[in-house]
Amino acid sequence: HCAASGAGQQGATCVSGAACAPTFGCFNTSNPTAVKCLKNCKASAPNCPAGTQCLFIQTPELEGNEKYGACL
């Protein structure tokens, strides 16, 4: 079941993924008060906004053999 997307872009404050635009997720950036929308990325073609890089959580999300992370 899919939820509607919000409008939050890179760095926007969020409380859940529903607040973020399509292709963005809501991530805790190591500070509980710094929960932000970050663009999702994949290792083979990161396509991150300027000044960011594709980083992966300790246990990366995998789809097939592709590793996914977030632009930070």
Side-chain angles (χ1 to χ4, degrees):
H1 138 270
C2 296
S5 295
Q9 299 282 319
Q10 188 75 16
T13 301
C14 57
V15 292
S16 75
C20 301
T23 74
F24 289 79
C26 189
F27 294 89
N28 180 335
T29 57
S30 76
N31 177 341
T33 61
V35 182
K36 299 179 180 181
C37 294
L38 301 175
K39 184 172 175 59
N40 296 314
C41 56
K42 60 182 178 177
S44 65
N47 195 26
C48 287
T52 66
Q53 60 183 337
C54 193
L55 300 175
F56 305 97
I57 57 176
Q58 289 178 338
T59 306
E61 186 174 331
L62 297 173
E63 187 173 311
N65 290 330
E66 186 67 66
K67 183 165 67 167
Y68 285 82
C71 299
L72 186 64

